[in-house]
Amino acid sequence: MHTYTGVPASPGIAVGPVEQIDHGTTGLHRIVCDPFRERALYDVAVVLAKDELRRLSQRAKGPDADILLFQIALLEDESFTNEIGDYIAAGAGGAAAVERAEQIFANRLKNVDDEYIRERSVDVCDVCRRVVDILDGRPRRRLHLKRPSVLVADCFFPSDLFSLDRRMVLGLASNQDSTVSHAAIMARSLGIPAVVQLGDGVAAMAVGRRAILDADSGTLVVEPDGAQIAQADCKIALSRLHGQQPDPVAALPCLTKAGTAFRLMPTCNISDSDTPHTRGAAGIGLVRTETVILYDQSVETQTARCRELLKSAEGVPVLLRTCDTHADDDAPWAGELQTRLNSHRLFQPQIKALLRAAADGDLRVVFPMIKDVADWDVCMAEVNVCRSELLEQGFETSPLMLGCVVDMPSAAVMAVDLMEHGAQLLAIDIEDLARYTLGLVQNPTAAVNQLTNPAVLRLVQNILADAAPRGVQVYLCGITVAAVSAMPAYLKIGVRTFSAEPAALLPLKKLLMEQEI
């Protein structure tokens, strides 16, 4: 028996045999032809890879389909194609050129401060591996599970999970993936237990054996004894029995034991096909919107999607975060975006779409990466330009409640000035604020464990004290499952609105309802 400890990514317990997703070894038995033939082979491989991705995307939904479209966009990206073409022209084989480009473009994403963008480096590796497999003539067969199993991998590629019969997946265990990797996000959305960051070599060691995956405690027990299996089976049975009926807590009002009211809001992405239900929720937010840039959506398309979102919200507030182009500019498929934006964070078609759609619901908009009043004033000037242009074109616009995301210490320190300059709400991204405040930009896991650091609490407490007399609303956002345990500390200092990923909402509600505040 061996017990390995990682990071919980999706709660639950699973017991079963272990199957491994092995991405194999590339580069065997390659023969390099002349550059013209190598380039022709590469071009054909890209056509085949894009065809496979399109077929997969037809079966996928929402964010899953978006990821596949990201991969297609990368294969069409001029800078990516030129990088490979130049290396082939210098005498390299097509497969080797793709592997080199994979390292270059994946490393660019890995060096981005934003953890979500950093995790998209796996998408680069995934699509490059697909092209390399075609060039190497390796079969790309889907893994057929003959029995329900716990899947292990060094890291999961998105296409690994798209091709599986998900009814056969008991749980996911990964050596490297993080809690915001696609595997973790998918596991939470499907209710599949998942543990990540188990460490190098664990997946290969566990394959072919029986294991207990306890994603509540973050452990993988390989070759457990009979007593451990019986205990785990009992927990699973109780969980299933409990799950037969909706959790009664979900229908209860959001009140602590002392009668203090609090509000909960589920997060989502503007491209999600299934908007979180609003029954019992104080609203929807934060709504991420980076895909409007990556797909270069028109004003009409964005206006229609925003109206759909507001309609589905059924009257509750929708807190939407404008696209964060500073992060997305580092993505290889958005290489031409920086010139087009002329260094502006704001994407004018998005602002125009929001101004047009606002009449259809309670829309509240926040701007990310605002470090000081000068940034805020630039944003407001751009909003005014967009409004004026719409009016000149004969479109009606509606007032917006505007604010900013507090994700940097400078924004927290300058909160009073931002409010004096017109910020009507502040959305504190608590994990980002902790990362930047405590110098943990490259270590998000450590940042989650430091959310109750006195320095971070003091910044939030000061914002709340300054906002109250001015009637400015404050939201605490960026709350993941891993961050739930820190939230009573923020309830204690006065936070009353919490925006959390859907999987964290019920655990967060239960924990806050237990507080004597």
Side-chain angles (χ1 to χ4, degrees), residues 12 21-22 25 44 52 91 119 146 154 157 177 192 241 249 252 261 280 399 402 409 414 424 459-460 490 498 503-504:
I21 291 181
D22 185 1
T25 302
V44 171
E52 291 176 358
E119 283 297 329
K146 297 179 180 179
D154 188 47
F157 288 172
D177 286 310
I192 297 174
L241 180 63
V249 173
L252 296 177
L402 300 173
M414 301 298 293
Q424 298 169 286
L459 287 174
V460 175
Y490 289 92
F498 300 82

Side-chain angles (χ1 to χ4, degrees), residues 185-253:
I185 294 171
M186 181 179 286
R188 288 194 290 270
S189 69
L190 296 173
I192 297 174
V195 175
V196 297
Q197 298 179 19
L198 285 164
D200 293 341
V202 173
M205 185 283 310
V207 65
R209 304 184 182 187
R210 191 172 181 82
I212 298 173
L213 180 71
D214 188 340
D216 294 328
S217 63
T219 60
L220 179 70
V221 182
V222 180
E223 299 289 12
D225 59 34
Q228 289 174 309
I229 292 175
Q231 185 180 37
D233 286 339
C234 182
K235 290 180 180 178
I236 293 170
L238 289 173
S239 176
R240 288 174 177 170
L241 180 63
H242 180 70
Q244 288 177 358
Q245 297 294 330
D247 195 312
V249 173
L252 296 177

Side-chain angles (χ1 to χ4, degrees), residues 437-456:
T437 300
L438 304 176
L440 298 171
V441 175
Q442 301 300 327
N443 194 344
T445 301
V448 172
N449 296 330
Q450 291 290 324
L451 294 182
T452 55
N453 182 282
V456 183

Side-chain angles (χ1 to χ4, degrees), residues 453-471:
N453 182 282
V456 183
L457 285 167
R458 179 74 59 84
L459 287 174
V460 175
Q461 192 168 24
N462 290 344
I463 291 172
L464 292 167
D466 292 331
R470 293 171 173 83

